[in-house]
Amino acid sequence: MKTRFIDQNLRPNEFSDETLVVCPKCGGKAMVKSTQVPQFAELRCYSCHYVTDKPLDLNKKSYSATTDYWFDCEFWLQDSFKNEFFFAHNYKHLEYIKQYIQAGLRERNDRAFFTLVEKLPQFIKSAKNRDRLLKMIEKLEKK
Ligand SMILES: [Zn+2]
């Protein structure tokens, strides 16, 4: 029986308020949380308990695809897949991508914007990558 994935119409930035990163002090797992009111970002390390914060710089000019937007720390949940870069902001995001990859049937809903899954890169959507992607995600889930 095929499993069914129904697009929950999540926006591409749905999970970006909480991003797991590599702590700049100890290399452990840290959480970057950002809020719009007040406009503020905080990094908090689970290992060494380092804490830092800053106001959001919404006009930031340059940023990297492999680091978080506010502190430029490497994503914790990342891996390379062939020559592609894979990452998830947090475990909920990883789980959502996993459900999408696992599903044999993918359904769309009416919506007025591109959803998170529609914006996923082609290598994630490709059925031939399914088993290897799921193995990679299972490894990241234990991180
Ligand atoms: Zn740390």
Side-chain angles (χ1 to χ4, degrees):
M1 200 184 89
K2 284 191 168 180
T3 51
R4 190 174 289 260
F5 178 90
I6 299 171
D7 195 331
Q8 293 175 41
N9 289 355
L10 300 182
R11 290 176 185 274
N13 61 356
E14 181 74 24
F15 295 100
S16 63
D17 291 350
E18 295 192 357
T19 302
L20 290 167
V21 298
V22 176
C23 172
K25 297 290 176 197
C26 75
K29 179 163 62 176
M31 173 66 87
V32 171
K33 288 188 184 183
S34 60
T35 59
Q36 296 301 318
V37 187
Q39 293 190 335
F40 185 74
E42 180 190 77
L43 182 152
R44 195 174 276 272
C45 179
Y46 295 113
S47 301
C48 71
H49 305 291
Y50 172 67
V51 178
T52 183
D53 57 55
K54 58 161 71 165
L56 299 189
D57 175 8
L58 297 174
N59 298 314
K60 199 171 159 183
K61 291 282 184 288
S62 70
Y63 57 92
S64 153
T66 61
T67 62
D68 92 279
Y69 192 74
W70 308 116
F71 295 95
D72 289 320
C73 293
E74 235 181 79
F75 293 121
W76 183 256
L77 298 174
Q78 65 159 289
D79 207 340
S80 56
F81 185 84
K82 298 176 186 171
N83 292 319
E84 309 276 4
F85 177 73
F86 175 89
F87 89 99
H89 285 287
N90 51 52
Y91 295 108
K92 276 184 291 186
H93 188 197
L94 193 64
E95 178 61 30
Y96 191 68
I97 297 172
K98 183 182 173 184
Q99 285 172 13
Y100 175 82
I101 293 171
Q102 279 174 331
L105 291 170
R106 293 167 182 171
E107 293 186 7
R108 289 179 175 197
N109 295 317
D110 286 341
R111 72 281 176 280
F113 54 88
F114 282 110
T115 66
L116 187 150
V117 293
E118 288 170 329
K119 286 279 196 183
L120 286 173
Q122 201 50 49
F123 77 94
I124 292 179
K125 296 178 173 178
S126 169
K128 70 176 175 2
N129 290 336
R130 184 172 295 158
D131 292 345
R132 285 179 59 192
L133 280 168
L134 289 173
K135 277 203 185 78
M136 182 186 73
I137 287 174
E138 275 163 26
K139 206 176 73 189
L140 291 174
E141 281 172 335
K142 297 188 187 98
K143 250 187 121 177

